[in-house]
Amino acid sequence: MSATQFKSPVVRWIDHRLPVFSMLHHTAHDYPTPKNLNYMWNFGSLAGLSLAIMIVTGIVLAMSYTAHVDYAFDSVERIMRDVNHGWMIRYIHMNTASFFFIVVYLHMFRGLYYGSYKAPRELLWMLGVVIFLLMMATAFMGYVLPWGQMSFWGATVITNLFSAIPYVGESIVTLLWGGFSVDNATLNRFFSLHYLMPFIIAGVVVLHIVALHRFGSNNPIGIDTKGPQDTISFHPYYTIKDVFGIAVFLLLLAMAVFFFPNAMGHPDNYIPADALQTPAHIVPEWYFLPFYAILRAVPDKLGGVLLMFGAIAVLFVLPWLDRSPVRSARFRPLFRIFFWLFFVNAIALGYLGGKPAEGIYVILSRVATAWYFLHFLAILPLLSMFETTKPLPKSISEPVLGSSGRTA
Amino acid sequence: MANSDTNKNSAKGDVQEPGRRDFIVVATYAMAGVGAAAVAWPLIDQLNPAADTLALANIEVDISKIAVGQSITVKWRGKPVFIRHRTADEIARANDTNLDDLRDPEVDTARAEKPEYLVLVGVCTHLGCVPLGQKTGEVRGDYDGWFCPCHGSHYDTSGRIRKGPAPTNLEVPPYSFLSDSVVRVG
Ligand code: HEM
Ligand code: FES
């Protein structure tokens, strides 16, 4: 693209020397996008917005937060009561974290349903899983910072996961803590890392977008675009659609922030941390619950930890487990059924993770955990071999404009 | 058929009459601008002093122990406040000063509620150093008030700027006497 197409001479002068405007223009303006994207394709931009909101509110919170066991809880209370608009900024940070996970989970289910992880988008998908892992680490460490009871005991339980590693487990946990229990050293390093990681996520998001733009977005029918008749320019068509999605998202976020700010949190975290007393029922944040359920389903310490990490590891190799050449579930009748079973199963795991680990809940957790892994390790490979798929349209335009695919 | 005709017409209409489309675009940007400003405000305002900082904004000081000719320095809002029990001579000199000689003309009676006690923010109005003259033996400048060592500002016995780069007199904080022996600053 030539720099001359910018109207402003200043922009042209800069762009000739530093082509940032051409790059932006290429990325968000005339980037050709499949014309049949549905609303499931809104969640990428919403995830980006969430990340931006988290970084901005987080930097502001850090201005009034004190990372010390004696002051952390009080400094957060001071933010809530004394700092101008502090309560709002904190509630935005808290609730956007939850919304971020909702958005990313939907984004991932979108990918699962429409086969967006398949060739040539394997790396794009894997970078997504990396982002997901980094998000979980960031959220976990962020939750420790207010130094309430859930902060402290959540940190204790999660860091103790590493003690399951044979031989070196105990030493690793001591290393993570910087002491012999979760204490001031732990809090300080968690704050340092919690500040750092969102910027690493932002870096991986850039890679994610570069990989996306290599082949462009997948689409609801999962076939490649065949030329200009199948695409429209990103701007204004998808920018305006993304803006609409953002408006709805912000409306829901504002509702949570202003009317139900603590609905997705746990009341025990408003009790200052006490190293001598564990709350009766300790649960992680809701977005970790499915994985927490998997952890508890296994009656063996090391086994539980391995299976929990395995549940994420399996996502990395998904492109090689599902070998079916057809991407979209629309043309895979059996896959579609199993997709929805997987979806319900995942929700069930989340529900079970929040229940006490006893009686029927343990049994159900085991069934659901087994199903989770069966889906990836047995059902998907088998479906790729035996499923009869429906005939694919010849192009994206065909189902809309009739078999000739002519333009009107 | 009829449908596509109407579409064509309206499309043509848009081309001929760009005013409406422009209006929508401008209105959209304006709304986004208002929204951005509304979001920016709390993020900026949080930098202002918090409620607890403001709550600490006044202090009570016992002045009964300050002998004539002595000063004390107390901390108010993180800054030094000078409270000086002036001698009769100092008060007289402050009052006898010709206002035309002053860079920032102010009568002494407007600066001290009770002439014996002068209450000042001990921050040089040039670039914020703390002037000397509180402790016995410190240089007090050409006018026997305070002297700022940073760039050489001289203040008189009423804390008024007389010589040097500072533009205005030492600030008098809001204060009131709660009794003969207690003054509240702030
Ligand atoms: C910080 C988190 C994330 C951000 C900001 C982000 C951003 C985006 C954006 C802007 C797009 C293009 C719009 C769209 O297709 O919706 C996209 C596409 C994609 N993302 Fe993400 N993403 C994030 C996390 C993830 C995760 C966790 C995964 C999966 C594990 C993932 C997998 C994908 C895939 C496969 C695509 C291409 C989808 C397609 O074209 O069908 N992303 N991402
Ligand atoms: S700061 Fe006092 S003279 Fe410059």
Side-chain angles (χ1 to χ4, degrees), chain B residues 123-131 147-155 164-166:
Chain B
V123 174
C124 178
T125 59
H126 181 224
L127 294 172
C129 294
V130 179
F147 171 70
C148 182
C150 289
H151 316 93
S153 290
H154 300 249
Y155 296 92

Side-chain angles (χ1 to χ4, degrees), chain A residues 70-102:
Chain A
D70 294 337
Y71 303 106
F73 189 88
D74 289 347
S75 75
V76 172
E77 283 308 303
R78 182 175 170 272
I79 290 171
M80 295 299 288
R81 292 152 200 254
D82 288 339
V83 174
N84 300 329
H85 316 285
W87 60 274
M88 181 170 82
I89 293 160
R90 173 161 182 255
Y91 279 155
I92 293 176
H93 196 75
M94 272 168 63
N95 284 280
T96 308
S98 280
F99 274 65
F100 197 177
F101 276 95
I102 297 175

Side-chain angles (χ1 to χ4, degrees), chain A residues 92-363:
Chain A
I92 293 176
H93 196 75
M94 272 168 63
N95 284 280
T96 308
S98 280
F99 274 65
F100 197 177
F101 276 95
I102 297 175
V103 160
V104 165
Y105 278 134
L106 289 171
H107 191 65
M108 293 171 74
F109 277 119
R110 183 281 313 267
L112 289 177
Y113 188 85
Y114 294 108
S116 297
Y117 48 84
K118 292 185 187 182
R121 297 186 182 83
E122 302 96 321
L123 270 183
L124 171 60
W125 170 262
M126 291 164 82
L127 285 168
V129 181
V130 170
I131 293 170
F132 180 52
L133 272 173
L134 290 171
M135 276 176 67
M136 292 204 289
T138 311
F140 159 65
M141 287 190 280
Y143 196 54
V144 177
L145 302 183
W147 210 243
Q149 274 290 65
M150 282 295 161
S151 302
F152 184 87
W153 292 102
T156 302
V157 169
I158 301 297
T159 46
N160 263 317
L161 290 179
F162 294 90
S163 71
I165 303 168
Y167 308 116
V168 290
E170 291 297 333
S171 329
I172 290 182
V173 173
T174 308
L175 181 92
L176 291 176
W177 286 341
F180 304 99
S181 65
V182 172
D183 209 331
N184 198 42
T186 327
L187 178 60
N188 272 286
R189 61 189 62 182
F190 277 18
F191 182 45
S192 167
L193 294 172
H194 182 70
Y195 207 133
L196 168 71
M197 294 188 53
F199 296 92
I200 296 180
I201 295 178
V204 183
V205 169
V206 171
L207 297 180
H208 189 74
I209 306 278
V210 172
L212 171 71
H213 284 206
R214 184 71 180 87
F215 298 102
S217 293
N218 183 29
N219 64 78
I221 60 176
I223 61 174
D224 294 332
T225 52
K226 301 266 156 53
Q229 76 279 12
D230 287 346
T231 64
I232 47 181
S233 66
F234 193 81
H235 183 75
Y237 300 106
Y238 285 114
T239 38
I240 201 67
K241 192 170 176 176
D242 278 346
V243 167
F244 178 70
I246 286 171
V248 173
F249 173 85
L250 291 178
L251 211 62
L252 293 173
L253 179 62
M255 191 177 79
V257 166
F258 293 110
F259 296 100
F260 314 100
N262 290 305
M264 290 182 285
H266 198 292
D268 276 10
N269 220 27
Y270 286 100
I271 303 171
D274 180 353
L276 302 180
Q277 188 168 18
T278 309
H281 180 207
I282 109 146
V283 280
E285 290 279 80
W286 70 263
Y287 35 79
F288 294 131
L289 289 177
F291 301 100
Y292 196 58
I294 293 176
L295 170 76
R296 296 191 312 183
V298 189
D300 174 74
K301 186 169 173 181
L302 180 60
V305 174
L306 285 181
L307 229 55
M308 188 182 78
F309 285 110
I312 294 163
V314 76
L315 294 174
F316 272 109
V317 290
L318 174 61
W320 294 275
L321 294 172
D322 177 4
R323 307 301 300 253
S324 168
V326 177
R327 291 196 192 107
S328 173
R330 286 202 190 165
F331 305 101
R332 301 184 62 191
L334 281 177
F335 172 84
R336 194 169 175 161
I337 294 170
F338 282 110
F339 169 86
W340 286 113
L341 280 176
F342 175 79
F343 181 80
V344 171
N345 188 59
I347 306 274
L349 276 172
Y351 170 79
L352 293 166
K355 289 285 154 195
E358 50 194 41
I360 183 75
Y361 298 125
V362 177
I363 299 166

Side-chain angles (χ1 to χ4, degrees), chain A residues 56 60 63-64 78 81-85 88-89, chain B residues 41-43 45-53:
Chain A
V56 171
V60 166
M63 293 178 187
S64 301
R78 182 175 170 272
R81 292 152 200 254
D82 288 339
V83 174
N84 300 329
H85 316 285
M88 181 170 82
I89 293 160
Chain B
W41 172 241
L43 295 176
D45 189 38
Q46 59 84 23
L47 295 165
N48 273 319
D52 61 336
T53 313

